[in-house]
Structure formats: C-alpha cells, structure tokens
Amino acid sequence: MDYDLKITGGTLVDGTGAPQRLADVAVRDGRIVAVGDCPGAAARTIDANGAIVTPGFVDIHCHYDGQVSWDETLSPSASHGVTTCVMGNCGVGFAPVHERDRARLIALMEGVEDIPGSALAEGLQWSWESFPQYLDAIAAKPRSIDVLAQVPHDALRVFVMGDRAVAHGVATDEDIDQMRAIVREALLAGAAGFSTGRSDNHVSVTGEATPASESEARELAGIAKAFEGLSHGVLQAVSDFDMPKGPERFDAEFDVLERMAEGAGGHPLSISLMQRDMEPDQWRRILARVERATARGVPMRVQVAPRALGVLLGLEATFHPFMGFPSYKAIAHLSLAERVAAMSDPAFKARLLTETSEKVAGDGSKIPPLADLLLARIEMVAMRLFRLGTRPDYEPTLEQSLYAEAQASGRPTLEVVYDALLAHEGHELLYFPLYNYTEFSLDNVRAMLGHPLSLVGLSDGGAHVGTVCDASYATFALMHWARDRAEGRIAIEALVKKLAHDTARFIGLRDRGTVEVGQRADLNVIDLAKLALHRPHMAADLPAGGKRLVQDATGYRATLVAGEVIVEGDRMTDARPGKLVRMGRA
C-alpha cells in the first residue's frame, strides 16, 4: 500500500488561514505525506464527503494533572477534536512534591479546580517526587491524545518553602534560587513552561489562599530566569488584577506579571482574559497593557474562552440555590430520585419556600462566595439563570431567564427556580454565566477573539467537575462562531487557525496544527452541518465513586492522533497513540 490511511472527498480547512478547498489527505507512519491529489492505494480510507477536514485542536489550558494517572482517554477533551492538551495551568498541580505535602496539594486542587479530593487521593499514583519523575510517570502510560505539562507555582513553593509557603510568606533569595533551579531542571526534562495563579477566587478546600497568590515580583522574576538560554518554554498566569481592592491597583498588579515576563528573557506569557461585571472594561485595559509590553519586546498573549465563563447549577452538581435551606439539608444525603420525590411533594415545597437559607460558605461548598450571593440576591441573580435544555444555548437572552419567566407567569422567582431544578427528573442544569456576559451577549467575546494577540483557551478540561464542562469549547466555537450566529461570525479558516495552529505555535509545537506535508497526522473529520452539543450529564467514573460533568458531541466522523483513529462516529476507539510531549527534545 502507498498509504496507511487516506481521507477522501473532504473540504480541507488546513489551519494556515488559507481558503478552504476540496482535497484528499494521505497518511503514512503517523505523518501527512500528501495533500490534494493523492493517487495510490491506502490500507484504510475515510470518506469525508460533506465534511470538513481540519488539524487536531491544541488546548493550552487544561487541568488533567491528576486524571492522567487513571484515565487513558482524557475525556471529554478527546471527544471534541482535541489531539494535544497542556496541563499544569493556574499554578496548581502535583509535582514537585514531598510525601508529607501530598494531602496539601490535593486540598489545593480540590478547592481551586473543584476536583473531588477522594478521587484524587485514590487515583493519584504518587510514583514521583521531582518534576522529571512526574514526567516519567506520565510518559509510562498509554493515552488517546498527547499531553504537555507545566511546572505549577503552588506545588513548587510548597516543595521549597514548606510551612512558610503561605499566601503572604516572603521567599528568601535562597528559596528563589532553589525554585529557579527546579524549574530549570524541569524545563530541561521537557516541561512546557511555568504557571502561577494570583486570583482571590482560588482558594484551597479549607478556604485558604493559594501559596503563590501574593508572591512578590522579585520571586516571579527570579524564577523566570530559569528560561534563559532555552529555545522552548512559556509562562502562564491568572489574576484578578486586584479588582476587589480598587482599579487603582490594576497597574501595580500588571507590573508584577510584566516583571516576570521580563525575567524570562523573551519567552512568552499568556494571561487569562475575561469581562467582569464589577469592572466591565477591565479587559480592554489588560489588552492595552499587553499590546504595550509586546511592542517593547516583552511578548504577551491573552487566553480567551469562546463563550461566557460560568457554572452549571443542579441537584447533581456541586452547587444549587437550595443547598443551604434547612428542609433541603435534611434530605441532602438521599439519592437523586429520593430527593426529587421529596421535593415534588407540595407540602415539602411550600415549607421550604418559607424558609431562610443558612449561610453555606465554609460548609463544604467549592464556590462559597457564589453560594451566598445566589441565596441573598436571588431576584437579581435569576436574571442570569437559564435552563440549559437538551440542546444547550450558550448565548441566551434576558427574556429567556428564569427571572423573566417568573415575571411573565406572576410566580415568585424562587418557586420558578425550584421547579426548574426538578425538570427532567432532577437532571436539569441551570446555566449561570459569570464572566463575559455583562450585556447579555457574546459581542465582547467576539472582540476578544478577533484581537491579534488572543489565543483560544480557558477550557479547564479536567477541572470544575461538578460545576463546569467547558472542555467542549472547540465544538461550541465551530458551531456558534463559524455556523450559527446571526451576526459577527468568524470565518471558519480563521477559527480553525486559532484552535490549532496558533495554540500549537504559542506553546512551541511546530510539528502539528496545520494539514501540510510533513506534519503529524493529527486530524479531524467533522460534519459541520450536523455538529451539535448535548446537554452535560453527570458520569460516575472518577476514582472512589466520584462524579463529574461530561458533555458529548455529534458530528465527529473521525479524529486521528499520529495517524491512528481515536474517535470514530462520535465514539472513542481503543487506540491509544497519545504520549507525553517533552519540549526541547527532537
């Protein structure tokens, strides 16, 4: 046979931004060997008539740091066209680690990323201490897609500083030297970069601020010097830019991140970008500072989610508006079916709706600030609460909100929210967009995505398992921005370039991200007309019986990693061609 595999009859969207065109794609030994007219026989042929053929998507913002220990598929990302993902974002992760600090890192990940501590405790193998040993452990396991790992600042700080690694603990010169040496060792072993988290919303499961959240510029710049002289490596950061402390603190906080980027000597920094209700124009100020820094030779990019960043509320989810009500707390231990039965009783409902919620912050909620906000201001919050439905709508209007439903029906808002949660036998999810939705539209997201320094990111694949399922963002982006939105569509050629080429090149990968001869055969065959997202559902597939939200898609005829089909007809196959990518190595 001339080829191992050939994709025929498809419309090629090659990731370079070039106009789409009809072309066949031929694969041999995991590489693309012909594009266009591909004469010759193949051991297998995939019919792409009526479909688009794209490069595999590269997701640069995931949190599979624990899941790689037990899950070969790295779902749900692999079900949404992602063929390469980057872990270790936001400063949280599991290496380096002393044995005595394992529980502390689990508590951090549980609090910051809403991953059940019991699942992590049972699922993590802990066959490592150093970061190179962690990379070896990842490399030893087969998986569906490729993974890259970054060094997380919180774990690094705890490893070096021990009990002094509290949020306001000041690192000594010796601490900084040691952290820099460890990051350098990790980079030489193939780490993709270094990440830090500076958000006040990120706390451990016990409510404590993360160790790195208040780190000084001196520390960050000192660690970043580990990148000097290397040809690979990126920086990643998330920050509120001290928004709760007043907009006058914005520049001071940005200066801290800029000094870190300067210390890295030309290695790029990416920063999370989103619109916040409390300061709705802050995102424009971030972009302005990023532009100025880049213009003077300090490369920066912004990571942008293609839709609003929010949470899903439900009786199966981590949080819902009634978890603090005494009557609900009395049945909270029951199964879903038993709770629905109890809540469907008119007497129970009438009693609960007369109660006042008890404060829930600190009693186990993974998002305590949101919990009490919802309960104290339900009328206002309900303007931003929407039924997700069986075919999720991620750009709903105010008129579709539960508040509007209550106003139209003349019923109390809390009663409407109550009834909505019981829909679909208690499986209903309520969509609560927190960021990027101040004006009840995604127009600002469109502006962010169109900025030349933006990268598609923030999927958080593997994280927020009881509140979020944004690992489907690539599927959403194709559906919403390239196909369905009435105004402000993005040309599919530009969108695929952002999802594959731009993210791959930012992280330093030059062997994937486009459909060209010589590139890895990481490919998608997508029936764009039939592409659809299903409602997220709770799957009990975590260790220790833990549950997580999973979202399925329809329309993926095939996804290939290194020439092997890992998804066929929207279903995962048994192929496991994925590997750890060690950056800086051939």
Side-chain angles (χ1 to χ4, degrees):
M1 294 291 178
D2 299 284
Y3 314 119
D4 298 326
L5 182 145
K6 185 160 64 170
I7 300 172
T8 62
T11 298
L12 180 64
V13 185
D14 66 12
T16 67
Q20 55 184 289
R21 65 191 190 277
L22 292 175
D24 295 346
V25 180
V27 175
R28 186 172 57 238
D29 297 330
R31 296 275 172 180
I32 299 169
V33 294
V35 177
D37 193 16
C38 303
R44 179 179 180 182
T45 299
I46 295 176
D47 180 7
N49 274 287
I52 61 171
V53 179
T54 76
F57 306 135
V58 178
D59 187 341
I60 59 173
H61 196 114
C62 290
H63 291 281
Y64 290 118
D65 310 70
Q67 194 171 327
V68 288
S69 286
W70 66 77
D71 179 19
E72 294 182 354
T73 66
L74 289 190
S75 67
S77 291
S79 299
H80 295 279
V82 173
T83 54
T84 302
C85 69
V86 183
M87 312 180 303
N89 288 283
C90 302
V92 288
F94 298 109
V97 60
H98 296 295
E99 184 175 354
R100 65 177 181 268
D101 294 320
R102 292 173 180 174
R104 180 183 288 189
L105 296 190
I106 287 176
L108 274 170
M109 186 66 81
E110 183 173 13
V112 173
E113 302 299 344
D114 185 25
I115 303 172
S118 57
L120 293 170
E122 181 174 301
L124 282 165
Q125 302 303 307
W126 295 119
S127 57
W128 62 84
E129 179 175 280
S130 71
F131 202 87
Q133 289 170 340
Y134 177 62
L135 293 179
D136 290 342
I138 296 172
K141 292 183 177 293
R143 54 185 43 86
S144 59
I145 65 177
D146 278 8
V147 296
L148 294 85
Q150 299 172 102
V151 183
H153 194 183
D154 287 328
L156 176 67
R157 212 167 197 261
V158 170
F159 187 80
V160 171
M161 298 174 63
D163 290 338
R164 292 184 295 112
V166 293
H168 293 277
V170 177
T172 66
D173 289 344
E174 183 180 354
D175 293 333
I176 296 170
D177 289 344
Q178 190 175 348
M179 285 190 276
R180 179 170 59 250
I182 291 171
V183 172
R184 180 77 173 193
E185 176 190 41
L187 291 168
L188 291 173
F194 168 78
S195 74
T196 191
R198 300 177 64 80
S199 172
D200 292 338
N201 292 323
H202 288 176
V203 295
S204 75
V205 74
T206 58
E208 298 171 321
T210 59
S213 58
E214 300 293 336
S215 297
E216 296 178 338
R218 180 179 63 91
E219 176 182 338
L220 289 165
I223 294 171
K225 290 186 181 298
F227 290 81
E228 288 182 349
L230 296 180
S231 61
H232 76 281
V234 300
L235 301 159
Q236 184 270 332
V238 59
S239 175
D240 302 324
F241 294 96
D242 282 342
M243 184 183 62
K245 301 170 187 175
E248 68 278 1
R249 295 286 300 274
F250 172 85
D251 284 321
E253 171 63 9
F254 199 99
D255 288 345
V256 171
L257 296 180
E258 194 162 344
R259 279 195 59 190
M260 177 175 70
E262 289 170 345
H267 290 259
L269 163 69
S270 69
I271 302 171
S272 301
L273 183 71
M274 63 199 74
Q275 182 191 38
R276 307 170 191 271
D277 288 357
M278 291 176 62
E279 198 176 334
D281 289 326
Q282 184 202 64
W283 66 275
R284 299 183 190 278
R285 299 173 66 193
I286 294 171
L287 278 174
R289 286 291 308 262
V290 166
E291 290 169 356
R292 283 162 47 192
T294 299
R296 68 180 189 85
V298 182
M300 291 189 187
R301 304 292 291 273
V302 291
Q303 290 193 33
V304 176
R307 64 188 185 210
L309 293 166
V311 294
L312 300 176
L313 312 178
L315 295 178
E316 293 182 286
T318 296
F319 182 75
H320 63 79
F322 300 102
M323 60 188 299
F325 284 64
S327 291
Y328 181 83
K329 291 171 76 172
I331 65 168
H333 64 285
L334 299 177
S335 69
L336 175 65
E338 290 171 323
R339 282 179 284 145
V340 170
M343 294 176 72
S344 298
D345 176 41
F348 180 95
K349 173 182 175 180
R351 182 174 68 251
L352 183 145
L353 292 178
T354 65
E355 296 173 350
T356 300
S357 176
E358 299 169 355
K359 189 174 178 62
V360 299
D363 73 351
S365 169
K366 307 300 189 304
I367 42 175
L370 173 63
D372 291 317
L373 167 68
L374 273 170
L375 300 173
R377 308 174 67 187
I378 190 63
E379 294 286 338
M380 180 176 294
V381 169
M383 293 182 181
R384 195 88 67 86
L385 279 180
F386 307 92
R387 299 174 190 263
L388 198 61
T390 55
R391 283 291 184 264
D393 179 358
Y394 290 101
E395 194 173 8
T397 64
L398 176 60
E399 290 72 27
Q400 294 172 266
S401 69
L402 293 185
Y403 173 81
E405 185 178 326
Q407 292 297 107
S409 65
R411 300 163 62 207
T413 302
L414 200 60
E415 181 181 346
V416 172
V417 174
Y418 185 100
D419 290 344
L421 285 172
L422 293 177
H424 301 288
E425 299 180 324
H427 295 291
E428 181 62 285
L429 294 167
L430 304 182
Y431 180 46
F432 183 31
L434 285 165
Y435 305 113
N436 293 349
Y437 220 64
T438 304
E439 293 87 8
F440 290 90
S441 87
L442 296 179
D443 288 347
N444 286 323
V445 172
R446 176 64 179 84
M448 295 178 199
L449 289 171
H451 195 280
L453 294 178
S454 73
L455 298 163
V456 179
L458 308 183
S459 83
D460 273 354
H464 305 294
V465 297
T467 53
V468 169
C469 194
D470 285 347
S472 60
Y473 78 76
T475 302
F476 168 82
L478 290 171
M479 291 169 51
H480 190 78
W481 292 114
R483 188 190 69 188
D484 294 341
R485 202 168 193 258
E487 297 180 359
R489 289 185 191 174
I490 300 174
I492 194 166
E493 295 90 344
L495 191 59
V496 169
K497 182 175 182 291
K498 276 191 168 291
L499 290 167
H501 170 277
D502 292 359
T503 45
R505 296 300 178 268
F506 172 78
I507 208 70
L509 297 169
R510 300 193 175 279
D511 64 345
R512 66 199 73 191
T514 61
V515 184
E516 297 177 290
V517 172
Q519 291 275 285
R520 269 172 53 104
D522 292 353
L523 300 161
N524 284 311
V525 180
I526 304 170
D527 190 333
L528 186 61
K530 295 180 179 178
L531 193 63
L533 284 173
H534 301 254
R535 178 172 56 200
H537 64 277
M538 197 64 72
D541 61 357
L542 294 179
K547 297 181 179 181
R548 64 182 181 132
L549 287 166
V550 175
Q551 188 168 28
D552 298 324
T554 298
Y556 286 90
R557 289 193 193 174
T559 296
L560 284 67
V561 171
E564 295 191 43
V565 179
I566 67 161
V567 171
E568 186 170 13
D570 302 315
R571 294 183 178 275
M572 296 291 300
T573 71
D574 293 330
R576 299 291 183 265
K579 59 182 177 59
L580 169 74
V581 180
R582 294 182 186 266
M583 297 301 295
R585 300 187 178 188

